[in-house]
Amino acid sequence: MIERGLIIGGVEQAAASGETFDVLSPATEQVIGRVARGAKADVDLAVAAARNGFTQWHRLTPSAREAVLLRAADIMAEQGEQRYLDLLIDESGSVINKARYEIARTADLLRAAAGEVRRLYGETMPNDSPDRISMVFREPLGVVAAIVPYNAPLLLLTKMTAFPLAAGNSIVIKPSEETPLIAIEYAKLLVEAGLPADAVSVVTGFGAECGSPLVEHDDINAIALTGSTATGKAIGKIAMEKMRPTQLELGGKSALVVLNDFDAKSAAKIAIEGMFTHAGQICMANSRIVVEAGIFDEFIAELKAGCEQLVVGDVRDTKSAYGPLINRNALNKVLAHIEDAKSRGTALLTGGEVHQGLTLQPTVLLEPSREATAWRDESFGPLTSVVKAQDLDDAIALANDSVFALSAAVLTHNIQRGFKAAREIRSGAVHIGMHSFQSNAMAPIGGMGDSGIGRSGGKYSTEEFTELKWISVELGG
Ligand code: NAD
């Protein structure tokens, strides 16, 4: 049993209330840890520390800030597996391959963020008055509240904190109540790397008790949320009321479009990876598959065969494609989406049953009603739908039949058809020749509509977490 406290100004401590909550392993549904149950009094301490941390951190030279982030990347690369592999497996239900991928990507993100420290450029501009100079500075916002989900708890936490830190901000982290242990270990690593201890705090606890007082706190300057659309809308309202810059990376219902010219077997393999990685608990998972009529029958035969060969369940088996969902509520939500589709007369191509514990079989619905929850809402589980499109225009219309617009993908070798789809699908990203679950530390990741507001990655993150200031000087007296 691991027992941990809040991290405030580098000091691990109990919650002011003395209360704790249990952390469960999705694989065994047993308690593996106990952490402090943070609330408003703890948030107040964390934000006060972060104000102080901001003063220290943003005044450091760019090369000093860069060195801290590079040291953090080195520690992550050298010790990441030893420090995070078991936590990612036990706390978040990641299979070993996904946990390794997450650790490797995290080191890469820290390096990418270090690179942005020296790229916080300003500008000058022409001025009609010959003795006047006009320039624009890029300045950090101050204290950023980072509110993190459970699905990629190390990678997303790093993405949400390393770039704001690169820009000179300090951070208060509110991890998911499902995965607090990883966040505590991450904050320790940053301080070991040389980050002033006040520049990063972790308040562990629940959304309403701990997340809400953080979002509403008068002394924070910006909010980064990666989470569900419902949480994003709730936080967005408060953020607007408080006039607070906010980046919202929310849910998805990403379409994978398969066009006639693509090889059906390869398309099925790509679709399976894009959908079932981490049991579909990926915001960009291709949870809707739109297939052009000419390849439909061959594709669904390959997809069914591929799904039935997937090894699932055992989180420590390197052959496992995925393991359990995060908790029983998450499993029940996916099962309810399957039942809803069935009650509307939808056939299952494959799956539909629990494999073991919280692990669900890879499940594919055939031609669900466009009103089915599995088509409209985010299931966030190993469930996807396949529908037939008559032609490219029909495929694009089906891909656009969603309130979400986070990521999409088109499988074709035809550059004209691929680009037409990429230009006409409304989405934060469209990938050609790949599935919709792609990441790149420098790319602008984010969505439109119910998928959120703002972009993260590379300079797009540092732009979100800096403010422009116009300064002008009269030299003529
Ligand atoms: P969630 O919205 O339930 O929780 C996210 C975080 O918000 C947690 O830390 C939670 O405690 C906190 N929270 C909840 N209510 C709050 C409130 N009222 N005030 C402040 N904080 C609050 O999301 P989840 O279930 O942990 O994560 C899954 C969701 O995240 C999915 O919808 C998924 O698509 C989305 N996601 C999006 C991206 C992206 O890049 N767009 C990436 C990963 C996950």
Side-chain angles (χ1 to χ4, degrees), residues 293-342:
I295 192 181
F296 189 83
D297 290 343
E298 204 187 339
F299 174 79
I300 59 168
E302 293 289 352
L303 186 65
K304 180 172 162 59
C307 286
E308 286 170 1
Q309 281 162 18
L310 271 192
V311 176
V312 300
D314 182 350
V315 283
R316 291 193 180 268
D317 183 347
T318 53
K319 291 193 285 308
S320 290
Y322 67 81
L325 292 171
I326 192 73
N327 56 33
R328 206 146 274 280
N329 283 345
L331 175 67
N332 289 339
K333 178 178 173 185
V334 187
L335 290 172
H337 283 194
I338 296 170
E339 282 313 307
D340 170 76
K342 281 177 34 193

Side-chain angles (χ1 to χ4, degrees), residues 147-151 156 159 174-177 205-208 210-212 215 225-229 231-232 234-235 249-252 282-284 378 380 406 445-446 451:
I147 302 178
V148 188
Y150 62 76
N151 61 330
L156 291 170
K159 186 149 78 92
K174 208 307 271 167
S176 167
E177 47 275 41
F206 294 86
C210 185
S212 278
V215 168
L225 166 77
T226 304
S228 63
T229 299
T231 304
I235 288 179
E249 300 215 354
L250 310 176
I282 301 282
C283 52
M284 305 175 207
E378 193 179 38
F380 223 54
L406 181 62
I445 297 191
S451 290

Side-chain angles (χ1 to χ4, degrees), residues 350-374:
T350 185
E353 304 289 325
V354 172
H355 170 76
Q356 66 179 50
L358 301 179
T359 305
L360 185 65
Q361 292 172 339
T363 302
V364 182
L365 301 172
L366 258 187
E367 297 277 12
S369 144
R370 307 295 177 266
E371 301 310 315
T373 48

Side-chain angles (χ1 to χ4, degrees), residues 47 82 124 138 180 213 234 278 292 326 346-347 447 452:
V47 175
Q82 178 198 329
T124 59
R138 200 167 263 292
H278 200 39
E292 209 175 359
I326 192 73
T346 307

Side-chain angles (χ1 to χ4, degrees), residues 61-370:
T61 61
S63 55
R65 293 210 306 272
E66 177 196 54
V68 169
L69 290 166
L70 287 175
R71 264 199 303 278
D74 286 345
I75 301 174
M76 187 63 76
E78 283 157 23
Q79 302 173 15
E81 291 230 351
Q82 178 198 329
R83 292 170 76 149
Y84 299 101
L85 195 70
D86 283 340
L87 279 182
L88 282 164
I89 294 171
D90 295 338
E91 191 185 34
S92 76
S94 302
V95 292
I96 192 161
N97 290 344
K98 183 261 189 184
R100 288 200 168 118
Y101 165 85
E102 199 168 334
I103 292 164
R105 300 284 313 139
T106 296
D108 183 53
L109 275 168
L110 286 160
R111 291 215 167 84
E116 290 306 315
V117 175
R118 292 186 199 242
R119 283 199 278 265
L120 295 163
Y121 298 121
E123 275 183 333
T124 59
M125 57 207 53
N127 206 307
D128 273 343
S129 169
D131 291 328
R132 204 163 274 188
I133 297 173
S134 265
M135 58 206 131
V136 176
F137 283 75
R138 200 167 263 292
E139 297 188 343
L141 300 175
V143 177
V144 175
I147 302 178
V148 188
Y150 62 76
N151 61 330
L154 179 62
L155 187 146
L156 291 170
L157 171 58
T158 307
K159 186 149 78 92
M160 294 168 69
T161 52
F163 292 103
L165 282 170
N169 302 285
S170 63
I171 307 283
V172 178
I173 297 167
K174 208 307 271 167
S176 167
E177 47 275 41
E178 304 291 346
T179 52
L181 298 170
I182 289 164
I184 293 167
E185 201 47 45
Y186 170 79
K188 291 199 157 191
L189 183 148
L190 290 180
V191 175
E192 263 172 64
L195 186 71
D198 278 347
V200 58
S201 289
V202 184
V203 282
T204 50
F206 294 86
E209 276 173 25
C210 185
S212 278
L214 178 59
V215 168
E216 287 176 14
H217 203 291
D218 284 335
D219 240 3
I220 65 159
N221 303 101
I223 303 164
L225 166 77
T226 304
S228 63
T229 299
T231 304
K233 287 184 177 176
I235 288 179
K237 272 189 198 147
I238 297 164
M240 260 304 147
E241 206 175 283
K242 301 249 174 196
M243 289 295 159
R244 194 159 282 170
T246 299
Q247 183 188 49
L248 301 171
E249 300 215 354
L250 310 176
K253 199 75 203 178
S254 300
L256 172 73
V257 174
V258 185
L259 297 184
N260 284 340
D261 68 289
F262 213 79
D263 169 61
K265 197 178 180 81
S266 311
K269 196 166 170 240
I270 291 170
I272 286 169
E273 185 181 279
M275 182 57 228
F276 296 113
T277 298
H278 200 39
Q281 298 171 110
I282 301 282
C283 52
M284 305 175 207
N286 35 246
S287 49
R288 297 180 303 140
I289 306 179
V290 178
V291 187
E292 209 175 359
I295 192 181
F296 189 83
D297 290 343
E298 204 187 339
F299 174 79
I300 59 168
E302 293 289 352
L303 186 65
K304 180 172 162 59
C307 286
E308 286 170 1
Q309 281 162 18
L310 271 192
V311 176
V312 300
D314 182 350
V315 283
R316 291 193 180 268
D317 183 347
T318 53
K319 291 193 285 308
S320 290
Y322 67 81
L325 292 171
I326 192 73
N327 56 33
R328 206 146 274 280
N329 283 345
L331 175 67
N332 289 339
K333 178 178 173 185
V334 187
L335 290 172
H337 283 194
I338 296 170
E339 282 313 307
D340 170 76
K342 281 177 34 193
S343 74
R344 295 169 190 270
T346 307
L348 285 172
L349 178 69
T350 185
E353 304 289 325
V354 172
H355 170 76
Q356 66 179 50
L358 301 179
T359 305
L360 185 65
Q361 292 172 339
T363 302
V364 182
L365 301 172
L366 258 187
E367 297 277 12
S369 144
R370 307 295 177 266

